[in-house]
Amino acid sequence: MQTEKSKQKTVNITQYTSEFKYNLKLATPVMLGMLGHTFVAFVDNIMVGQLGTAELAAVSLGNSFMFIAMSIGIGFSTAITPIIAEADSSNNLQQARSGYKSGLFLCTTLGILLFLLVFFSKPLMYLMQQPEEVVELAIPYLDLVAFSLIPLIIFQAIKQFSDGMSMTRYPMYATLLANIVNVVLNYLLIFGKFGFPEMGIVGAAYGTLVSRLVMVVYLWALLRYKERSAQIVKNIKFFILDSSMIKKIINLGSLSAMQMFFEVAIFTSAIWLSGLLGKNPQAANQIALNLSSMTFMVAMGLSVASMIRVGNQKGLQNYKELRRIAFSIFLLGALLATVFAIFFFIFHKSLPNIYMDLNDTKNYIDNMEVVSIAADLLLVAAFFQISDSIQVVFLGALRGLQDVKVPTILTFISYWCVGFPVSYILGKEDMYGSFGIWLGLLAGLTTASVLLYIRFNKLTLKLIEEKKELVLES
């Protein structure tokens, strides 16, 4: 009897673990591509950190505006993937072509609007009670980085199409190429090497802008010459649009953008709340945020895999298989997140040292304070690895189902009715400071993981039941 039960458990686990290999095959290029985006910030932060804590805080402040704009643009573009995945699984070439063209048009327009929004919002920095030295450094940096939003959001449109076609390697190649360009330009322009002007953090902004232009041109050219995608992306009439597809992408994309905005905005609020505590807490926040962003990109890769595979199964109306696949990705994400949690816990004191020049005697006290605060924040980051992974994988699965309205409400409740109040109250100087701010992030992510799981579980069981009833009726 005991043996039979054990066998049953093994079979149950195997039905999920058997999908790990394919899930990783699909998700790994996405993970590497997204890690590439974060690696650009990682390189910027390490190189800028050598200049001083004020410069690192300035990059953090400038990027806080970028994070908000990027969350809207990237979130909106995710609507393209499930539409393309559904069209691909049902061999609907016309729908795929319409989805690509409409998505590219909308993302190009949105990229221009987001650039203008960020560019003209710079005066807000003076009203936010941020350190004046930091604001003065951040403004010229933000001018250039804001313009890079246009190629970035165009790239996202093409990337999401490529992901929807299950061609996840090509955006990865584009991102890796962009990273090489960014690292070389950063080295030359931040420090003024090999006869180039020494431009400080403005040099980092030039590196980011050029690398994003390279990224979009390379991916666009690559997909035009791949047989599977060429028939869709070639010879499109950009301004002749399908109004029903435009409406569908706007309906899905606007709510997906809001979901990502609610999450990214709470992390952005952590930057601003840290700025109220001073330049050193703000610099420490940037270090912890950059490190935790890297592990989050692994979960994001799994989220995209979840969106693609769920979208495919939705096209086939195979809801039992859809549910099994989604839970296999969830299990894989939880296991990887546990590994990252242990890693952060063990190395929380040593990881921040990478960012600061501890041999700089002039800024030694400031640098040591930044390292100490960042080490404490990484302890909180270790705890929220699992909940962060769960919430983003289930959010991807729900997007694959094209279910966006309820998840948008759930993410708002999680981050702004639970997370932000905790950050605001516990993050005051006379409470727990930076550590308290990150406790709010932990509370928001944990709430989101629970609510999104409940939503996915309820919705998929309902879809299975409805299909069963249809079969019985027929």
Side-chain angles (χ1 to χ4, degrees):
M1 190 76 174
Q2 188 72 29
T3 312
E4 200 58 43
K5 277 187 178 178
S6 300
K7 265 187 187 175
Q8 189 64 39
K9 279 184 182 176
T10 306
V11 172
N12 287 340
I13 294 170
T14 305
Q15 70 175 327
Y16 301 118
T17 57
S18 62
E19 295 291 332
F20 281 8
K21 188 177 179 181
Y22 184 73
N23 290 338
L24 282 171
K25 184 183 176 183
L26 193 62
T28 298
V30 182
M31 289 176 190
L32 292 175
M34 290 185 166
L35 279 167
H37 285 305
T38 315
F39 189 73
V40 170
F42 176 69
V43 171
D44 285 353
N45 287 328
I46 287 178
M47 291 188 178
V48 169
Q50 308 308 302
L51 302 175
T53 59
E55 284 81 0
L56 186 57
V59 169
S60 175
L61 180 60
N63 282 341
S64 70
F65 283 78
M66 286 294 292
F67 291 152
I68 290 176
M70 284 166 63
S71 71
I72 295 169
I74 294 172
F76 184 87
S77 71
T78 58
I80 299 167
T81 301
I83 290 170
I84 298 298
E86 187 179 355
D88 183 42
S89 67
S90 54
N91 293 314
N92 190 333
L93 182 65
Q94 187 179 350
Q95 184 183 337
R97 195 171 172 82
S98 177
Y100 169 74
K101 182 171 64 172
S102 301
L104 185 60
F105 174 82
L106 288 169
C107 284
T108 302
T109 306
L110 183 59
I112 295 167
L113 291 174
L114 289 171
F115 156 63
L116 294 172
L117 179 68
V118 172
F119 186 82
F120 289 109
S121 67
K122 290 179 297 181
L124 289 174
M125 291 186 186
Y126 290 104
L127 305 174
M128 291 164 54
Q129 300 176 36
Q130 302 296 297
E132 193 172 334
E133 178 188 5
V134 172
V135 173
E136 294 295 332
L137 287 167
I139 285 179
Y141 170 82
L142 189 56
D143 284 341
L144 287 165
V145 177
F147 187 71
S148 76
L149 277 167
I150 299 173
L152 177 64
I153 306 305
I154 293 172
F155 171 80
Q156 279 300 130
I158 304 171
K159 175 195 176 299
Q160 297 295 343
F161 160 76
S162 186
D163 288 346
M165 295 289 291
S166 299
M167 300 167 68
T168 55
R169 286 181 298 154
Y170 304 121
M172 176 189 73
Y173 297 153
T175 308
L176 292 176
L177 175 63
N179 277 335
I180 295 167
V181 171
N182 183 69
V183 170
V184 172
L185 288 178
N186 272 2
Y187 181 70
L188 296 175
L189 298 176
I190 291 175
F191 304 113
K193 301 293 183 179
F194 299 105
F196 283 84
E198 186 178 342
M199 304 173 75
I201 66 172
V202 173
Y206 272 111
T208 300
L209 173 58
V210 174
S211 66
R212 285 175 177 170
L213 287 167
V214 168
M215 190 165 62
V216 69
V217 170
Y218 179 81
L219 182 59
W220 173 77
L222 199 62
L223 292 180
R224 279 177 60 83
Y225 292 99
K226 293 295 172 185
E227 187 180 346
R228 193 149 177 265
S229 54
Q231 58 184 335
I232 297 171
V233 303
K234 269 188 174 181
N235 304 319
I236 61 167
K237 294 175 181 174
F238 194 64
F239 294 103
I240 300 174
L241 300 166
D242 177 353
S243 59
S244 63
M245 181 58 75
I246 288 281
K247 188 177 178 182
K248 185 175 185 179
I249 292 176
I250 289 174
N251 287 340
L252 287 173
S254 57
L255 290 169
S256 295
M258 292 283 47
Q259 292 167 8
M260 192 169 280
F261 169 76
F262 292 145
E263 181 178 356
V264 170
I266 193 173
F267 279 90
T268 304
S269 73
I271 295 172
W272 295 341
L273 290 172
S274 297
L276 297 176
L277 301 173
K279 67 174 184 177
N280 290 346
Q282 194 169 49
N285 184 86
Q286 178 66 6
I287 290 171
L289 184 59
N290 186 229
L291 286 167
S292 56
S293 294
M294 288 191 170
T295 56
F296 176 68
M297 291 306 157
V298 173
M300 275 290 286
L302 290 172
S303 178
V304 172
S306 180
M307 192 177 358
I308 295 166
R309 298 202 69 191
V310 167
N312 287 338
Q313 295 304 318
K314 180 181 182 291
L316 299 170
Q317 295 189 345
N318 191 345
Y319 300 118
K320 278 189 177 179
E321 187 68 359
L322 180 156
R323 185 176 163 86
R324 184 184 70 84
I325 287 168
F327 276 105
S328 75
I329 299 172
F330 152 68
L331 179 59
L332 178 59
L335 290 171
L336 289 173
T338 303
V339 173
F340 294 138
I342 294 167
F343 178 78
F344 275 175
F345 189 80
I346 293 171
F347 297 106
H348 72 281
K349 287 187 177 177
S350 53
L351 286 170
N353 295 342
I354 301 168
Y355 292 80
M356 306 309 299
D357 182 4
L358 299 181
N359 295 317
D360 180 0
T361 52
K362 183 182 174 184
N363 298 306
Y364 182 77
I365 294 173
D366 281 343
N367 290 349
M368 286 304 295
E369 185 185 356
V370 168
V371 166
S372 174
I373 296 169
D376 289 341
L377 299 185
L378 286 178
L379 284 175
V380 185
F383 279 99
F384 70 51
Q385 290 300 305
I386 297 170
S387 55
D388 204 6
S389 177
I390 291 169
Q391 65 87 20
V392 78
V393 168
F394 278 120
L395 198 54
L398 288 165
R399 283 175 184 155
L401 283 167
Q402 297 178 30
D403 176 53
V404 287
K405 288 181 182 176
V406 173
T408 302
I409 296 166
L410 297 180
T411 52
F412 176 78
I413 291 168
S414 301
Y415 301 124
W416 291 95
C417 298
V418 178
F420 181 75
V422 174
S423 284
Y424 184 77
I425 293 165
L426 298 184
K428 292 182 178 177
E429 202 164 0
D430 56 352
M431 291 290 286
Y432 298 103
S434 296
F435 191 77
I437 293 170
W438 276 57
L439 287 176
L441 301 181
L442 173 61
L445 290 167
T446 304
T447 305
S449 66
V450 172
L451 294 179
L452 291 170
Y453 162 73
I454 292 169
R455 173 62 181 172
F456 177 81
N457 190 52
K458 183 179 177 183
L459 184 60
T460 50
L461 289 174
K462 183 183 175 186
L463 287 168
I464 290 168
E465 196 59 40
E466 285 175 355
K467 188 173 181 185
K468 207 181 283 182
E469 286 172 7
L470 278 172
V471 171
L472 289 171
E473 284 173 12
S474 61

